[in-house]
Amino acid sequence: MAHPLRLIGDKVVVREFHPDDVEDMQRVFGDDRVTAWLSFDSRDLDETRVRIEKAIENARVVPRTEFYLAVTTLDDEAHPIGFVRLVRSGSRGEEIGCAIAADEWGRGYGDDAHRVLLDFAFGELELERVAGWIPLANTKRMKALDENGALGRLGFVPDRVAPRYVFINGTWWDCMLNSVTAEEWRRRSR
């Protein structure tokens, strides 16, 4: 597997983080609109710097178990607008997550970042299954699991409800666990 990783989609480039990405990523990590449904609360600039430094450090771990990558637009790879993350648990089923800066929502960047990372996961990494979670109270994101929703079009299907699955902003949330298999991904990618 090549390092540094650089994956190109129709709208985005997914690449390794650089130390100078911290201020751009504060638009994501420090914005309550974005972090409202993530697995962490909003962070200050120093906390964002620590997270980016950790992502850079983890990119060099062998074997690599975490792909925490910057999402940029095709025309501006220097300034990330979000992140996508794939965590390898050691099995052939892994967890994916993505967040895009609020002022970039609605442009398809998150969908394309998911697509690019799933191609990588089911291609080069030869994974069998990729999973995610969505708090049930996040009704907008839950609609993404519908057949014609953003995640549904990628092949994600609801698996089960997990009570008190994630702790966000001082509250435990019930979540819908969802996943897509390599077989389903290949079927939809034809």
Side-chain angles (χ1 to χ4, degrees):
M1 171 182 345
H3 185 275
L5 194 60
R6 182 173 176 270
L7 308 169
I8 301 171
D10 295 331
K11 297 181 177 190
V12 302
V13 174
V14 173
R15 63 159 173 82
E16 304 289 356
F17 276 110
H18 306 141
D20 57 349
D21 290 336
V22 173
E23 288 191 25
D24 289 320
M25 287 306 296
Q26 189 60 23
R27 293 177 25 194
V28 177
F29 294 140
D31 187 336
D32 291 343
R33 296 172 296 171
V34 178
T35 63
W37 297 110
L38 296 180
S39 61
F40 58 86
D41 300 338
S42 290
R43 297 175 172 168
D44 65 26
L45 192 60
D46 287 335
E47 292 168 321
T48 297
R49 181 174 292 103
V50 168
R51 183 59 199 122
I52 299 302
E53 289 170 354
K54 187 70 172 167
I56 293 167
E57 179 184 322
N58 287 343
R60 292 181 170 80
V61 171
V62 177
R64 189 168 182 178
T65 58
E66 179 183 66
F67 296 85
Y68 205 124
L69 304 161
V71 176
T72 73
T73 60
L74 283 174
D75 59 347
D76 187 2
E77 284 188 54
H79 299 283
I81 60 167
F83 72 85
V84 67
R85 182 175 183 236
L86 181 73
V87 178
R88 300 195 64 190
S89 63
S91 67
R92 291 184 59 126
E94 317 305 341
E95 187 173 284
I96 194 170
C98 180
I100 301 295
D103 59 339
E104 303 290 349
W105 289 350
R107 297 183 178 146
Y109 297 139
D111 297 349
D112 197 37
H114 271 94
R115 195 175 302 103
V116 166
L117 198 59
L118 289 169
D119 275 342
F120 174 70
F122 293 128
E124 187 166 339
L125 296 180
E126 299 180 335
L127 300 182
E128 182 52 37
R129 180 177 173 273
V130 173
W133 53 266
I134 302 170
L136 296 177
N138 186 348
T139 55
K140 182 177 180 183
R141 194 64 180 157
M142 285 295 296
K143 289 179 183 176
L145 282 174
D146 292 346
E147 186 176 323
N148 293 317
L151 294 174
R153 288 190 308 270
L154 294 173
F156 281 89
V157 295
D159 292 330
R160 68 178 176 89
V161 173
R164 298 175 57 84
Y165 188 77
V166 67
F167 189 76
I168 304 171
N169 295 316
T171 303
W172 282 100
W173 296 97
D174 297 345
C175 291
M176 176 62 70
L177 305 185
N178 57 85
S179 64
V180 59
T181 64
E183 179 181 354
E184 181 63 18
W185 181 251
R186 283 190 288 275
R187 189 182 71 74
R188 288 178 184 263
S189 297
R190 288 184 191 150

